[in-house]
Amino acid sequence: MNPSRYRGVPPIHLPDRQWPGRTLTQAPRWCSVDLRDGNQALVEPMGPERKLRLFDTLVGLGFKEIEVGFPSASRTDLDFVRLLIEEDRIPADVTIQVLVQAREDLIAATAGALRGARRAIIHLYNSTSALQRRVVFRQDREAILDLALRGTRWVKEAASLLRGCRVDLEYSPESFTGTELDFAAEVCDAVTETWAPAPGERVLINLPATVEMAGPNHYADQIEWMGRRLRNRDRMVLSVHPHNDRGCAVAAAELAMLAGADRVEGTLFGNGERTGNVDLVTLALNLYTHGVDPRLELGDLPSVIEAYEHCTRMPVPARHPYAGELVFTAFSGSHQDAIKKGLAALEAEANPLWEVPYLPIDPADIGRQYEPIIRINSQSGKGGIAFVLEQAFGFQVPRDLAAEFSRAVQRITDATGEELSPDGVFAAFQREYLAPGRIELLDFHARHEPGGRAALQFKLRDGAREVDLAGTGNGPIDAFVGALAGWLGLPLAVCDYSEHALDAGQDAEAVAYVRIRAGNGPARFGVGEDRDIVAASLRAVLSGVNRLAPAEREPAAAQAGGAA
């Protein structure tokens, strides 16, 4: 690689820049350019059906300004503009915008396409950058300025012929980021004076990063510089149109807003030429997560994604901010544990503010679900596994059981190299803890004795034979463990016990968790499930015993021969 072929962009002299100390407190004026800038970047441009659906989607999201096409350059765009107008598909509070080059015949054709509209923005542009002046147009500044002014007069004349239609002018010095700032300001001021907006009206001056050439701080400096030096700033709406060539379009738009931009043009999910336009969904939701009303309705983001993917035939990437399939997932065990604890704390504290580690937004606010937040693979830990078992299946497993089970899950995911779905996690949990083992409980009867003790009689199946046992203890579990210990010839001890109901109501299943140890050996968890809590507890003890090493759970020879 030879970086000497490239050069950096000289900084803008703005020692008293104000934008770094500002905070965004309100949404900008939004303008969607999905149907023009986004459409022209598609491998297969949209036909009327897909365009109409996307237009209706944009209206439903709350966009009040929508660039609907380039009617002088495309018969399809011209027909679409006419369809919107003739079928009265444009709500009264929505303004359509159309793009046109600074050519008299194209401007006349564009105005003709708008006949019958109530209000419209004619978006006039010509390129002003030093590079394009030199290698594309071979013209000097004076010729470029003259073209912009002639285009403005042509738009003004054509607009005057549109009876009953309010026409606003938007002017873009295309490739603004490659234009000398003094020249850009000269052109924009001259265009505004030529248009001469009526009192209360303003020209839309759009400063596009047609090609993103420098960092977002540089773009912010350009916007603040222009805002300070434009002679007619109070007669202008300062608009920006960032592209994403350096991957910084969202940051560039946010900093441009801090620098004084009133309006932002972009597309859903950043579709557009090359690396795309600024993503208005991300930009709006970034505001939302800071407590600022984005003035767009994004509460059902999955339906927006579905409409976008149908209309553009472009997928939303899995890691796309807010919208991607995987953005509310956590594979790392430490992340999963933190999310689980954060959600629990949020519920316990009744905190009105959303504060959950690793989740900057409540997925439910944009129509997403909690269930897919945690996915299980070889990097997952006990927290994520516990979250899946509780959220999807109601099992509130103890922390140490989750740690024990996570090792079994890791063996599965290491062997397959794939993630486990929630159903896969639960199937592994059932195999490990709930599936019938060698020793099964067939029946039991408990009774209370004087002094608060319990007597227990129970029947087990041990392989092919049945065994009747009895014991006494401080409670049914103590009596059961004592009888089992004598039968197995092992010093069994319960180290931990917990239980809960799976559901509400009298007929709810109960789940018991028992951690049991044989002598000085390792402890094992067992899980039992039954409508009767005593039965669930006894099954949990047997689950743990069955999970002990085989040599530790063989019945003592002397007792095994006499019990039948």
Side-chain angles (χ1 to χ4, degrees):
M1 298 180 72
N2 181 13
S4 65
R5 299 184 63 230
Y6 302 89
R7 61 184 176 188
V9 177
I12 295 167
H13 182 68
L14 199 64
D16 59 340
R17 57 181 57 82
Q18 299 298 305
W19 63 261
R22 294 175 181 158
T23 301
L24 294 176
T25 58
Q26 64 180 19
R29 280 175 60 170
W30 301 110
C31 178
S32 161
V33 294
D34 290 86
L35 292 165
R36 198 277 303 168
D37 204 335
N39 186 50
Q40 74 184 40
L42 297 177
V43 174
E44 183 183 338
M46 291 178 276
E49 178 272 329
R50 287 188 285 149
K51 274 195 164 188
L52 273 176
R53 182 173 178 191
L54 189 52
F55 178 80
D56 290 340
T57 297
L58 295 168
V59 169
L61 292 176
F63 285 98
K64 303 304 180 187
E65 296 175 6
I66 302 173
E67 190 165 87
V68 293
F70 198 155
S72 66
S74 163
R75 180 71 197 192
T76 302
D77 280 12
L78 173 62
D79 291 343
F80 180 66
V81 174
R82 294 310 308 157
L83 183 150
L84 290 176
I85 295 169
E86 292 171 5
E87 296 189 3
D88 197 22
R89 291 177 175 266
I90 307 166
D93 61 346
V94 172
T95 302
I96 60 170
Q97 177 172 304
V98 289
L99 186 71
V100 67
Q101 294 167 303
R103 280 179 44 186
E104 187 173 14
D105 58 329
L106 301 183
I107 290 169
T110 299
L114 295 172
R115 288 189 319 273
R118 288 182 288 267
R119 55 187 302 156
I121 297 169
I122 295 180
H123 183 181
L124 173 72
Y125 77 95
N126 67 305
S127 185
T128 57
S129 76
L131 179 62
Q132 292 216 33
R133 295 198 312 264
R134 178 169 59 85
V135 304
V136 179
F137 303 111
R138 301 180 185 274
Q139 292 183 330
D140 58 15
R141 285 188 177 193
E142 184 178 352
I144 296 298
L145 172 60
D146 180 63
L147 179 60
L149 298 184
R150 282 187 287 131
T152 303
R153 287 191 288 268
W154 290 328
V155 172
K156 191 169 186 176
E157 181 181 345
S160 69
L161 302 177
L162 289 173
R163 305 300 179 193
C165 178
R166 172 179 165 172
V167 176
D168 291 321
L169 173 69
E170 176 176 352
Y171 173 71
S172 288
E174 192 203 4
S175 299
F176 162 75
T177 45
T179 303
E180 306 91 334
L181 288 177
D182 65 319
F183 181 50
E186 179 185 358
V187 174
C188 291
D189 271 329
V191 165
T192 302
E193 290 164 3
T194 301
W195 182 257
E201 295 182 359
R202 295 196 289 173
V203 175
L204 284 74
I205 295 296
N206 188 53
L207 303 175
T210 309
V211 179
E212 187 177 37
M213 302 170 66
N217 60 308
H218 187 87
Y219 190 49
D221 279 350
Q222 290 178 308
I223 301 304
E224 184 167 335
W225 191 100
M226 289 289 287
R228 290 189 192 185
R229 288 169 174 72
L230 287 167
R231 294 194 304 269
N232 301 290
R233 178 66 179 92
D234 61 339
R235 304 169 75 188
M236 301 173 180
V237 172
L238 205 56
S239 177
V240 292
H241 180 114
H243 275 255
N244 198 43
D245 299 86
R246 292 168 56 91
C248 300
V250 168
E254 291 182 332
L255 299 192
M257 289 157 61
L258 292 173
D262 308 305
R263 179 178 184 266
V264 177
E265 294 188 344
T267 59
L268 301 180
F269 311 115
N271 177 45
E273 294 281 12
R274 306 180 308 282
T275 57
N277 291 51
V278 64
D279 172 13
L280 298 186
V281 174
T282 297
L283 200 55
L285 290 176
N286 283 355
L287 290 170
Y288 180 76
T289 61
H290 282 194
V292 177
D293 181 359
R295 295 191 299 157
L296 291 176
E297 180 48 63
L298 296 167
D300 185 9
L301 201 53
S303 70
V304 181
I305 295 167
E306 192 278 326
Y308 166 84
E309 292 186 334
H310 169 80
C311 294
T312 65
R313 297 182 179 170
M314 297 271 289
V316 173
R319 296 292 182 191
H320 197 97
Y322 302 109
E325 179 188 358
L326 297 179
V327 298
F328 296 120
T329 66
F331 292 95
S332 161
S334 61
H335 289 200
Q336 293 167 349
D337 187 56
I339 291 171
K340 178 178 180 291
K341 290 174 179 174
L343 291 172
L346 197 70
E347 183 175 354
E349 298 167 4
N351 188 351
L353 292 176
W354 175 261
E355 293 180 312
V356 175
Y358 302 111
L359 294 179
I361 191 172
D362 182 348
D365 281 357
I366 53 176
R368 302 289 292 272
Q369 300 297 322
Y370 291 129
E371 286 78 8
I373 288 175
I374 291 186
R375 305 265 288 264
I376 304 300
N377 66 8
S378 62
Q379 302 302 307
S380 303
K382 58 184 180 297
I385 290 166
F387 182 93
V388 167
L389 289 173
E390 180 174 353
Q391 293 295 309
F393 305 102
F395 283 76
Q396 301 166 21
V397 299
R399 178 183 178 87
D400 288 341
L401 190 156
E404 180 184 284
F405 180 48
S406 69
R407 293 189 285 273
V409 169
Q410 190 160 26
R411 287 194 297 271
I412 296 170
T413 53
D414 281 343
T416 63
E418 299 176 351
E419 70 169 289
L420 273 181
S421 67
D423 287 341
V425 172
F426 189 56
F429 181 74
Q430 289 177 307
R431 288 194 302 270
E432 192 75 16
Y433 296 100
L434 294 171
R438 198 191 94 180
I439 305 172
E440 296 180 68
L441 179 67
L442 298 180
D443 193 16
F444 74 94
H445 176 71
R447 71 178 186 276
H448 294 290
E449 293 193 336
R453 291 177 66 78
L456 186 74
Q457 294 178 316
F458 57 96
K459 183 187 294 289
L460 303 178
R461 177 181 288 122
D462 177 22
R465 62 199 181 102
E466 295 182 358
V467 180
D468 290 297
L469 296 173
T472 59
N474 293 326
I477 296 176
D478 187 44
F480 189 64
V481 171
L484 276 179
W487 176 55
L488 293 171
L490 291 173
L492 296 176
V494 172
C495 309
D496 189 24
Y497 172 84
S498 62
E499 41 99 344
H500 65 83
L502 272 180
D503 298 298
Q506 292 182 343
D507 296 330
E509 290 279 312
V511 180
Y513 309 98
V514 172
R515 194 179 192 190
I516 195 162
R517 185 189 305 275
N520 295 321
R524 294 285 186 270
F525 269 97
V527 181
E529 183 180 1
D530 199 284
R531 288 188 177 180
D532 182 280
I533 186 58
V534 175
S537 302
L538 302 185
R539 295 186 194 284
V541 170
L542 280 182
S543 169
V545 168
N546 282 320
R547 296 185 67 251
L548 293 171
E552 295 174 331
R553 65 186 185 201
E554 290 294 333
Q559 295 185 3

